[in-house]
Amino acid sequence: MEALGAKEIKAYHDTAANFAKKEIKPDALEYDRFPFADFNRTVVDKLSANEFLAPTLPEALGGAGAGMRVLGAMLEEIAKEDASMAVLILIQSMSYHILAELGTEDMMKRWNILPEKGNPDLLSLPIYSDPEDLPDTIIAVKTKEGYSLKGAITYLPCLPVAKAAIIPARIEGADNRALFIVETDRKGMAISEPIVSLGFRGCPHADLTLDQVVVPEASLLGGEKGEAAFGVIAEKYRGPVSAIALGIIKGACQTAKNYAKERYQGGKQIIEHHMVRKMLSDMVAWIDVISSAAEHACQLSDNKKDPRSRSKLLSIQTIVTSAVTRATTDGVQVLGGYGYMHEYGQEKRMRDAKQLQAVFGSMPLKEMRVIDRDLSTN
Amino acid sequence: MKPEFDNPDLFSFDDSFASLYHLGTIKKKVINVARKDFEEYRVFAREHLRPLALAADLRAQKDKNSLADDMLALAVKHKMLTRMIPQFLGGTGSGVMWGLNPGIEELASVDPCYNGGVIAGHGLGFVALSMTMNMERMEWVAEQTVKGEQEGKPFLIDCAITEPMAGTDYEEVDLLPRARLMSSAKRVNGGAVLNGSKCFISSGHLANYHLLIMPYDINDPVNSNGMFLVANDAPGFNLGRIEDKMGMKAGAASELVFKDCFVPEQNILYSYDDFSESYAEELVMAVLGITRITVGAVGTGIARGAFEHALSFAKNHKWKGKTIIHQQWAQERLTNMLMNVYTARNAYLEASYVLYTTLMPGHMPGFMNTDIVRKMYNNSIAKRLRYTKMARKAMLKTIKSMPENEKQRLQFYSSMAKVVGTDIGMQNCHSAMEMMGEYGLRHDVGMEKLFRDAKLCQIFEGTNQLNRLNMFKYFIGRNIPDVKVFG
């Protein structure tokens, strides 16, 4: 991966920002009502047409071959307008990345994220699971045709609108989980009604039940090394998760600053009230710190030379996403009663930030593991 | 220069140990009454309210204009509204301190929206009404509430303070002079005419009557305040929009619009010029002093609800093959959350003791609190007497004549109960959500609803920032000459 200069990275920022402002911002709040509003398929098609949907897809497969710094830049700008779309892109990038690395070429031809088809195939994978401890809730039994899958897995993002899902399953007799890619319309696949969620509402979620779902051999991704491979790939995407957090806090801060300069209470702009000023200063300071941290995390993913890479990727994600949950809570507070109202767009950020905190495992588990990774480095 | 210690006016015995004052004054039977109330609120919350709460939230997500008629019908069926009305007025309310606030905590632990969104207006409105000492209207509202429940038809009032450009400014007497108000009243023959609008009013669309505060002179609101009771079908009054909120969704946050809305003399609850001196400031501070404590109970309930979600999750989920409740990280987190609940409860309980050693019963006319009163009360002579201006003035004077240090104590403790309770409510929700990961994000589990509901409590009844300044003014600033608060 070539080292990109600041100018090139800025170009990606600008392109993504322009797209986000023009195509995503106008309807983001409306689509945030899903499932009581539709899924924004139009924007997804446009993302695909602009090669924004899976920028990390290798050039050999017709993709942009972008690294995590590029993905991070784009996700930050998209998340400023709508974190739902940012996380959808993250999921598609990661899913297609897994396919590209673990799947066969024939199998790759079945799904297409690229614009020629006009109608990109969305994939789903368990983004909230701890990559080192995937759910052990599906059994795969070897059959003549391939495998028969039985079990269930909850809360898969993009599942209601996906062509296929990448899911973990334990092959009978094996110790670890394997990874399978399963079309959502295979016999025996039961997808629940879309789940009403706290955040990322523009990205539909559902539960999945598998009842003797028969899949061919080719559906097995990465053979016995599936779970480990998933873990390795997921690590790369921790940086982009921080980039989404950065976009959310930037959006929240901008809205808070604008409001604080317009709203008068006590006879003066509320930005003149020190308690409001402190909250805004906090947000700005966090943005400055997170900008460096997210950029660093994305660089770590692109360049494996740092021996503390694994440790840093986890610690940065943990700290950054937690900070943004607190910052967005303050972001609502600055706007007072208006912060609580949907149309101001601020409460959405608090919900999206909290949802983001659960990506790649719950917070306490991440907390426990940071020291493990640090110790195992030295 | 040496540091100053041992400030004589901070941490006095009286400021610190209000609960001890009560040891001698509480009758033993109060415990039985409190326990009975607690158990009845608990049954209502768990058996009747809980089944409705999630569905009501979902319904409002689908259509923000849907109203919580089912919750209100449930309240009426179980005679919950009359629990906010004191017994001497025909209700079943046993006391704010031992009956209402723990009961509110109980309700909030199951569904804070029921408190904060559905019945809040009635409670807040009734307290505001009570403080005007307009006994005739107070008794009428109490009577309507009781009658409504008897007939199975809810009678609800709301309490409208906030305007589009004045939220915080309306919640603090010191800020009101600088508020950008748009609504005002004008005296006319037979009453007053109101113009303007109120926004974010809890349960506006469910209320039969709207209690509001509006100045007669928009440029001098503190010294020209009036309080009015407006019928839902009053000419010139209209309900406006319902807000689309983050949480407390089943409760409508309503816009009230007044266009030459006529209010008959009888429904002018209080005017600044009713008496030779103004009681507006004391009135507002008394209302907030009482109701902020209850908001602290709501926050405590939310903190409890979050804890209960986290506990259930820990008992029923595993990590790496081991049930989470056995793991030390979870035990720490749960214990911190439980400590938080008890801290929040201590804050509102102590504030309740302060209330009872300051405003009530000491400065509420003593007759309101004895059993004899109820018998005397319905005597028609007694009625005519207490509806007089003279009686009103006497009652208002008792509030105004509260010793300064008692007013300060009440303001500090009630703001503290509010801030501690609601900040802790939000903290526990953050913590529970962190523990529950993906499971907590789903609507059907119920934790994320609590998270969304919790946030509003840090904002209404005066933001927690404003309440901090209130605390500073009354307990720290009071000893510093010329200190500028709200400067």
Side-chain angles (χ1 to χ4, degrees), chain A residues 34-105:
Chain A
F34 183 92
F36 306 113
D38 292 330
F39 170 62
N40 195 348
R41 188 74 216 189
T42 315
V43 152
V44 168
D45 290 343
K46 285 192 177 149
L47 283 165
S48 168
N50 283 272
E51 296 192 22
F52 284 173
L53 209 45
T56 55
L57 197 66
E59 279 167 11
L61 292 161
M68 295 305 152
R69 279 180 76 209
V70 169
L71 182 61
M74 289 169 52
L75 292 183
E76 179 196 321
E77 299 299 340
I78 305 266
K80 251 191 240 175
E81 304 300 345
D82 183 13
S84 295
M85 275 304 145
V87 91
L88 186 138
I89 295 170
L90 180 89
I91 290 162
Q92 299 316 307
S93 293
M94 189 170 151
S95 300
Y96 274 89
H97 190 141
I98 289 172
L99 277 190
E101 231 165 90
L102 305 180
T104 62
E105 206 177 307

Side-chain angles (χ1 to χ4, degrees), chain B residues 1 31 35 46-47 93 171 186 253 265 290 306 312 322 351 355 364 372 380 395 407:
Chain B
M1 202 177 153
I31 299 294
R35 189 185 294 271
R46 293 182 180 185
E47 290 180 25
E171 299 278 339
K186 194 177 66 187
E265 196 70 46
I290 295 169
S312 172
K322 216 167 91 172
L355 178 65
M364 291 286 278
I372 292 173
S380 64
M395 292 187 275
K407 286 180 184 169

Side-chain angles (χ1 to χ4, degrees), chain B residues 188-403:
Chain B
V188 296
N189 209 357
V193 154
L194 311 179
N195 275 287
S197 69
K198 297 286 193 185
C199 65
F200 304 165
I201 307 307
S202 296
S203 312
H205 279 68
L206 288 174
N208 303 78
Y209 275 76
H210 310 277
L211 186 147
L212 40 129
I213 188 164
M214 251 192 220
Y216 284 93
D217 177 0
I218 212 169
N219 296 310
D220 186 13
V222 176
N223 296 314
S224 73
N225 247 328
M227 278 176 69
F228 308 89
L229 199 61
V230 175
N232 210 32
D233 56 7
F237 172 73
N238 274 297
L239 289 167
R241 51 185 278 160
I242 294 180
E243 301 294 341
D244 188 4
K245 308 190 302 297
M246 177 184 197
M248 302 285 200
K249 278 182 172 296
S254 311
E255 182 188 25
L256 311 181
V257 184
F258 307 89
K259 274 204 185 83
D260 294 329
C261 174
F262 176 71
V263 182
E265 196 70 46
Q266 184 185 37
N267 282 344
I268 300 178
L269 304 170
Y270 173 85
S271 285
Y272 68 101
D273 56 359
D274 278 347
F275 308 98
S276 52
E277 52 180 339
S278 169
Y279 296 96
E281 190 169 333
E282 286 78 12
L283 206 152
V284 168
M285 296 317 266
V287 173
L288 294 174
I290 295 169
T291 54
R292 281 174 176 163
I293 301 173
T294 305
V295 177
V298 173
T300 306
I302 291 173
R304 230 177 84 180
F307 167 81
E308 289 180 316
H309 271 286
L311 179 63
S312 172
F313 177 82
K315 292 201 290 195
N316 295 304
H317 286 77
K318 292 193 162 113
W319 181 53
K320 290 216 188 291
K322 216 167 91 172
T323 309
I324 288 172
I325 194 79
H326 302 301
Q327 304 189 34
Q328 197 180 95
W329 64 264
Q331 292 169 353
E332 184 199 24
R333 195 170 272 261
L334 287 167
T335 303
N336 283 340
M337 289 175 73
L338 191 63
M339 282 200 298
N340 276 349
V341 172
Y342 277 82
T343 302
R345 181 174 313 111
N346 284 338
Y348 85 74
L349 269 186
E350 193 66 16
S352 302
Y353 284 123
V354 169
L355 178 65
Y356 270 67
T357 54
T358 55
L359 185 62
M360 318 152 106
H363 298 280
M364 291 286 278
F367 75 75
M368 283 189 170
N369 296 288
T370 62
D371 289 342
I372 292 173
V373 167
R374 240 176 309 136
K375 292 172 194 140
M376 274 173 44
Y377 216 65
N378 291 313
N379 177 302
S380 64
I381 297 173
K383 238 188 190 130
R384 264 182 277 135
L385 274 177
R386 67 176 177 270
Y387 291 175
T388 62
K389 239 183 147 177
M390 201 174 69
R392 270 195 77 198
K393 184 169 182 170
M395 292 187 275
L396 284 169
K397 254 189 137 70
T398 62
I399 301 180
K400 200 176 174 97
S401 67
M402 254 173 80

